[in-house]
Amino acid sequence: MAKFKVYRPSEEDDGKNKDTNYTRKVLFHKGRKLALVLVFIFIVAAFVVGYRIYIKNRTFTGYDVVSIAKIKQSADSRYLEFGNNVLRYNMDGIACIEKDNDKAWEISYRMKYPIVALCGDYGAVASQKEDEIYVFNKSGLMGRIEVNYPIIDIDVSAHGVVAVNMEYDGMNYVDIYEHDGTRKVASKTSLEGNGYPLDIALSNDGQKLMVSYLDIAEEALKSSIVFYNFSEVGENYIWNMVGAYDEYYDKTIIPHVAFIDNETACAVGDDRITIFAMKEIPEIKADIALVKELESYFVGEEYLALVFDNGDNGGLYRAEIYDTAGKKQLDYELDTSYKAIRFIGDYILIYNEYSCKIINMSGTEVFSQVFDGAVVLMEPLSLTEYILITDSTISEIKLK
């Protein structure tokens, strides 16, 4: 008879083995589940990274015309972007034009030198040296303001609040009005006092005002930037003046000031550009020294473009792109003339009367096109969609 042994574990040993086997199965199941989750996350992350690389580096070879309409140009008409529509204005009035050339609304007036300010859904138009301001939004006329003195300049907030710079009899007045004509703030300056206000800028919410003053002290030009806050914070300061930079701009002229967004402003001078952070009280965020004379500048929601003559280095122009923290993002040589520069997210649209190009923040050209007619305005609706106005048509185009 063959010999054999049967090992029968004790009841205690039998329970331990069962527990061990169960634990191993649970750990294996959890590990497998975790591995599947990690693989899924990796695939999604790879897809996202790959898609971003594709989006960043994709190029366009042409465009399709989505819609087109004939227009008749007036010799003195000018066009501005206004949301997804276009503003056309001249000495006789201002109209909001849709992409099919229909008028959403029209305001008639008679102005020799109309100036327009826009912010968000609101805008204002006034005539220099006159005393009348029309305030409008996407629905049409919202109010008419009559001021006391000849107008030099205006600005508007995203809620229809209007700041106006006026001059009369050697004095300057900077007042702020609601769109219904109610005056909120009134101030008066003189050349011997604060200096001459070169430019004004109103924040998006209409609560903060930025003024560039030019002062002639001892036969030398000197500028100052003054900030006002009309909220509860500003009420704790004399004349609501919450900041002044007068010694900072010795021998500098600041002809342009602007609010980039509600809490970021910039001062554009002849030898420097200063970016301010202003949640309530201003502070210098960045100061950019200009080694060459500035040809022009363009402001977007996240970036600024500074354009310089580049004739000495072989190109026509050179564009420097900065973010709102003052960090340079791109140095780009322009080999053609330009009419305007616009930002579309992290892309830059540059166009002139007959052509356009789009580049990314790496300086890579993703689209280039020569148009048949003379371009009056090219308004981006998105990276791939634009309203294009030429000397004879208004059309919506889509890149492909």
Side-chain angles (χ1 to χ4, degrees), residues 151-216:
I151 296 168
I152 302 298
D153 193 15
I154 62 170
D155 200 11
V156 67
S157 79
H159 305 291
V161 176
V162 177
V164 53
N165 178 17
M166 300 166 288
E167 182 180 32
Y168 179 74
D169 198 22
M171 301 295 293
N172 280 90
Y173 304 83
V174 179
D175 294 352
I176 295 180
Y177 291 85
E178 296 284 1
H179 62 74
D180 62 0
T182 304
R183 187 166 66 175
K184 295 177 59 179
V185 178
S187 65
K188 181 170 66 174
T189 64
S190 66
L191 189 61
E192 294 79 13
N194 303 72
Y196 182 84
L198 290 181
D199 198 17
I200 58 175
L202 197 60
S203 62
N204 295 7
D205 62 4
Q207 294 291 321
K208 291 165 278 192
L209 178 69
M210 182 184 188
V211 184
S212 169
Y213 291 100
L214 177 64
D215 186 21
I216 302 177

Side-chain angles (χ1 to χ4, degrees), residues 1-158:
M1 179 180 288
K3 295 174 64 175
F4 63 92
K5 289 185 179 180
V6 176
Y7 173 74
R8 183 178 181 181
S10 65
E11 292 183 3
E12 181 179 353
D13 290 338
D14 188 55
K16 287 183 178 179
N17 284 334
K18 288 182 179 178
D19 289 344
T20 301
N21 291 336
Y22 178 77
T23 302
R24 286 176 180 173
K25 289 181 180 180
V26 169
L27 290 176
F28 175 78
H29 178 73
K30 288 185 176 180
R32 185 182 178 187
K33 193 173 182 180
L34 177 60
L36 291 174
V37 171
L38 291 175
V39 169
F40 176 77
I41 292 174
F42 175 79
I43 292 173
V44 171
F47 174 79
V48 171
V49 171
Y51 182 75
R52 286 182 177 177
I53 293 174
Y54 163 74
I55 291 296
K56 184 177 180 181
N57 295 287
R58 67 173 169 168
T59 58
F60 304 93
T61 57
Y63 66 89
D64 292 322
V65 178
V66 178
S67 65
I68 187 168
K70 292 285 186 180
I71 58 174
K72 186 177 181 181
Q73 294 282 11
S74 173
D76 64 338
S77 289
R78 296 187 178 184
Y79 293 84
L80 291 171
E81 304 168 14
F82 192 49
N84 289 338
N85 294 328
V86 172
L87 289 178
R88 181 178 66 205
Y89 71 99
N90 52 35
M91 294 187 297
D92 297 319
I94 186 168
C96 182
I97 308 297
E98 298 174 339
K99 52 193 174 186
D100 56 1
N101 199 31
D102 287 341
K103 292 180 183 178
W105 51 260
E106 185 173 17
I107 301 170
S108 297
Y109 54 68
R110 186 63 185 169
M111 298 181 181
K112 290 184 179 179
Y113 310 104
I115 51 176
V116 178
L118 302 174
C119 184
D121 293 341
Y122 271 85
V125 59
S127 182
Q128 288 181 323
K129 304 299 183 181
E130 297 182 21
D131 60 359
E132 200 170 44
I133 304 170
Y134 293 87
V135 185
F136 54 85
N137 64 10
K138 291 185 176 181
S139 300
L141 181 65
M142 294 300 294
R144 179 174 167 271
I145 303 170
E146 289 189 14
V147 297
N148 298 324
Y149 308 106
I151 296 168
I152 302 298
D153 193 15
I154 62 170
D155 200 11
V156 67
S157 79

Side-chain angles (χ1 to χ4, degrees), residues 186-364:
S187 65
K188 181 170 66 174
T189 64
S190 66
L191 189 61
E192 294 79 13
N194 303 72
Y196 182 84
L198 290 181
D199 198 17
I200 58 175
L202 197 60
S203 62
N204 295 7
D205 62 4
Q207 294 291 321
K208 291 165 278 192
L209 178 69
M210 182 184 188
V211 184
S212 169
Y213 291 100
L214 177 64
D215 186 21
I216 302 177
E218 299 178 357
E219 299 182 354
L221 295 178
K222 179 181 178 181
S223 293
S224 62
I225 303 295
V226 180
F227 291 88
Y228 302 88
N229 189 328
F230 305 109
S231 68
E232 293 181 358
V233 174
E235 292 176 358
N236 298 318
Y237 293 79
I238 299 176
W239 301 315
N240 294 86
M241 188 174 72
V242 295
Y245 296 82
D246 46 5
E247 300 297 331
Y248 193 74
Y249 295 107
D250 192 23
K251 299 180 181 179
T252 297
I253 300 175
I254 310 290
H256 304 289
V257 292
F259 272 90
I260 300 172
D261 56 40
N262 204 51
E263 297 180 0
T264 310
C266 68
V268 182
D270 57 352
D271 63 357
R272 72 205 309 155
I273 288 183
T274 310
I275 300 174
F276 296 89
M278 188 184 179
K279 187 173 183 179
E280 298 292 350
I281 309 299
E283 60 178 319
I284 293 177
K285 198 174 183 180
D287 189 60
I288 305 167
L290 305 180
V291 295
K292 294 187 67 175
E293 183 178 353
L294 188 65
E295 178 84 16
S296 60
Y297 79 101
F298 300 90
V299 177
E301 294 180 355
E302 299 179 31
Y303 299 101
L304 296 87
L306 311 181
V307 184
F308 305 88
D309 187 300
N310 201 41
D312 297 339
N313 297 318
L316 285 179
Y317 303 99
R318 179 172 56 85
E320 295 181 1
I321 310 300
Y322 293 85
D323 62 21
T324 54
K327 183 179 179 181
K328 184 188 287 189
Q329 301 294 316
L330 179 65
D331 208 322
Y332 185 77
E333 286 193 5
L334 288 171
D335 55 3
T336 61
S337 61
Y338 65 94
K339 187 181 185 75
I341 295 178
R342 296 287 181 265
F343 294 100
I344 317 158
D346 291 333
Y347 291 84
I348 306 163
L349 166 68
I350 306 168
Y351 71 91
N352 57 29
E353 289 186 349
Y354 297 101
S355 65
C356 79
K357 64 173 59 178
I358 300 173
I359 61 174
N360 59 27
M361 282 298 167
S362 300
T364 302

